[in-house]
Amino acid sequence: KLTNEYSVADACEHAAGMDDSLWPQLVTNLGALDVLHAGRLNPHLRVEPTQIRYLTDFLRRNYQALCFDLSGNLEKYSIELMHESKRVFLVCTPEIPSLHLAREKYQFLRSLDLEGRVSVLVNRAQKRQLISNDQIEQILGLPVQMIFPNDYQSVHKAVTIGRWVDFETDLGKQIQSFAHNLIRPKAGAGTTGAG
């Protein structure tokens, strides 16, 4: 239900000259969260690494935390963003084809020296999975950080009304737990910046 007509393409187009007066026009504010949507389907869109650097420099000056929801196609700009990030989450479902694709992507990310930043999130897990968590980790070659239950009804309801998933549902509780783990400093670590 985002109504702002501006998107990532507009932000990248103006990245070199991004300032505090232009940025608020590009994003939709939802409480403490600013959202810049992906925009319409545009196979001709090319995002240059320099645009990503300008944009991330601006964002780091203005936000404590940044989150990028990437397509999974491993475009050049996605790789650039991953190199600029402290953590990379590889999302998959607990089905064999998804797990094998995730393993292939993880091996590619390892070849780019990103392996220390990558964690796995398993989405749409059933209560009685055919594949155990141990088997998932064995297939992927790295531990699973968190598993999110399949709750199509809650997700559908949230998307339909343009709101968050209800925090009282199992999925909502797991999302809250994940968010708290993201912002909680690791033992012995100092404060961290965005990225």
Side-chain angles (χ1 to χ4, degrees):
K1 301 227 176 195
L2 295 178
T3 57
N4 193 326
E5 64 189 65
Y6 297 109
S7 68
V8 170
D10 300 295
C12 288
E13 183 181 328
H14 296 94
M18 189 61 66
D19 60 31
D20 293 336
S21 62
L22 177 58
W23 181 250
Q25 297 173 47
L26 301 179
V27 297
T28 300
N29 181 271
L30 300 167
L33 181 69
D34 285 344
V35 178
L36 177 64
H37 72 79
R40 299 192 188 289
L41 183 64
N42 182 357
H44 303 294
L45 175 66
R46 296 290 177 258
V47 179
E48 298 299 324
T50 52
Q51 293 173 311
I52 293 298
R53 279 187 228 107
Y54 285 134
L55 196 54
T56 54
D57 287 347
F58 171 81
L59 295 173
R60 283 188 172 126
R61 289 192 305 271
N62 290 278
Y63 293 94
Q64 291 180 343
L66 303 172
C67 178
F68 302 95
D69 184 6
L70 304 172
S71 72
N73 293 329
L74 302 173
E75 304 92 347
K76 272 187 172 181
Y77 70 88
S78 294
I79 301 299
E80 182 73 27
L81 281 170
M82 284 187 253
H83 277 289
E84 293 287 325
S85 299
K86 290 180 183 170
R87 300 182 73 182
V88 174
F89 297 106
L90 186 58
V91 181
C92 62
T93 59
E95 289 95 23
I96 294 293
S98 177
L99 293 170
H100 282 279
L101 181 59
R103 181 179 65 192
E104 187 176 326
K105 287 180 180 182
Y106 175 60
Q107 289 170 348
F108 178 71
L109 295 175
R110 285 181 64 188
S111 74
L112 299 174
D113 295 324
L114 288 166
E115 67 186 282
R117 302 175 200 190
V118 178
S119 300
V120 173
L121 304 176
V122 177
N123 196 15
R124 291 190 234 139
Q126 302 294 332
K127 288 188 179 183
R128 293 184 187 147
Q129 290 184 168
L130 296 175
I131 302 170
S132 72
N133 294 344
D134 289 341
Q135 290 172 314
I136 291 172
E137 291 179 349
Q138 186 176 8
I139 290 170
L140 296 175
L142 74 161
V144 172
Q145 178 173 338
M146 190 160 282
I147 297 176
F148 297 91
N150 189 19
D151 187 350
Y152 179 81
Q153 199 168 20
S154 293
V155 171
H156 178 74
K157 181 179 177 184
V159 170
T160 301
I161 62 174
R163 300 301 310 156
W164 320 112
V165 169
D166 183 350
F167 291 141
E168 297 303 314
T169 64
D170 289 342
L171 177 59
K173 290 174 185 173
Q174 197 69 342
I175 290 169
Q176 277 191 306
S177 175
F178 176 64
H180 288 294
N181 287 336
L182 283 179
I183 61 173
R184 187 178 305 130
K186 292 181 181 174
T191 57
T192 58

